[in-house]
């Protein structure tokens, strides 16, 4: 049995925060505002994974009112979500995602982001795709006010059980 999920996340760019995407710290004058490290890519992937099994969203699992998640690495949260997926008897087939932001350019960081996700969810790196695009200076991402990310995942019933 196969299941498909999609995810979306958005965060505002602000001063005095690190820009973390896919678990990679990217040098930039702005970072993403959020309760955790605000990694929009990992958040979109987690929402897609949870959605594929009708398990709600990251806000239900990691509420921003809970101090134990304040400043936490989203990679750590992804580890928890992956354990949940495995405990339900599923494994990840593939992940396809998009990061939308005007700048900085992300091409040089995409492979490391894929590596980080691959290690956490225990799938081959060639089954993870991350694209980066701009919105041609349109909207809140185009004018540099924020970053958004989309993800689609496919899960299958695991043969390991």
């Amino acid at each position: 049995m196969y299941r498909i999920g999609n995810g979306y996340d958005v965060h505002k760019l602000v001063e005095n925060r690190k820009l973390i995407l896919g678990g990679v710290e990217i040098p930039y004058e702005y970072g993403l505002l959020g309760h955790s490290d605000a990694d929009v890519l990992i958040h979109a992937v987690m929402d897609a994974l949870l959605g594929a099994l009708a398990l709600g969203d990251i806000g239900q699992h990691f509420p921003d009112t809970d101090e134990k998640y304040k400043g936490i690495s989203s990679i750590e949260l992804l580890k928890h979500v992956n354990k949940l997926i495995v405990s339900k008897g599923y494994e990840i087939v593939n992940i396809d995602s998009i990061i939308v932001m005007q700048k900085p350019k992300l091409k040089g960081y995409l492979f490391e982001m894929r590596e980080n996700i691959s290690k956490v969810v225990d799938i081959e790196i060639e089954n993870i795709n991350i694209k980066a695009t701009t919105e041609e200076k349109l909207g809140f991402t185009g004018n540099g006010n924020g970053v958004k990310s989309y993800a689609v995942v496919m899960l299958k019933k695991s043969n390991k059980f």
Side-chain angles (χ1 to χ4, degrees):
M1 174 189 268
Y2 289 89
R3 305 288 296 259
I4 296 171
N6 67 66
Y8 169 80
D9 195 42
V10 60
H11 283 274
K12 182 178 181 178
L13 282 166
V14 296
E15 293 179 336
N16 302 315
R17 288 278 298 197
K18 292 179 181 178
L19 178 58
I20 309 286
L21 295 169
V24 177
E25 185 175 337
I26 298 165
Y28 190 51
E29 60 191 300
Y30 301 105
L32 294 169
L33 181 63
H35 188 67
S36 66
D37 63 4
D39 187 332
V40 295
L41 173 62
I42 300 297
H43 291 186
V45 168
M46 289 189 296
D47 263 350
L49 291 167
L50 292 166
L53 293 180
L55 297 174
D57 61 31
I58 62 173
Q60 291 170 298
H61 291 265
F62 314 110
D64 63 7
T65 54
D66 192 331
E67 284 300 308
K68 73 180 173 187
Y69 302 121
K70 186 166 180 61
I72 194 168
S73 165
S74 294
I75 290 289
E76 292 303 312
L77 302 178
L78 180 59
K79 288 176 184 177
H80 174 81
V81 170
N82 189 58
K83 286 178 186 172
L84 186 58
I85 298 303
V86 170
S87 76
K88 298 291 184 182
Y90 281 82
E91 59 186 274
I92 301 167
V93 175
N94 74 307
I95 298 169
D96 187 29
S97 58
I98 304 169
I99 303 167
V100 183
M101 65 186 306
Q102 195 63 36
K103 59 182 180 176
K105 296 295 182 194
L106 300 177
K107 183 179 180 181
Y109 303 99
L110 298 178
F111 185 80
E112 187 178 356
M113 292 178 199
R114 290 172 62 214
E115 279 185 318
N116 288 343
I117 295 169
S118 172
K119 289 174 188 171
V120 171
V121 300
D122 195 30
I123 64 172
E124 298 295 321
I125 196 166
E126 45 279 341
N127 295 326
I128 300 170
N129 190 45
I130 303 171
K131 303 172 288 282
T133 190
T134 69
E135 288 190 310
E136 303 297 326
K137 299 185 179 180
L138 297 172
F140 72 91
T141 60
N143 67 22
N145 286 332
V147 179
K148 61 184 171 182
S149 185
Y150 301 91
V152 176
V153 302
M154 179 178 280
L155 306 180
K156 72 175 181 177
K157 198 71 171 162
S158 180
N159 296 328
K160 298 175 185 174
F161 295 96

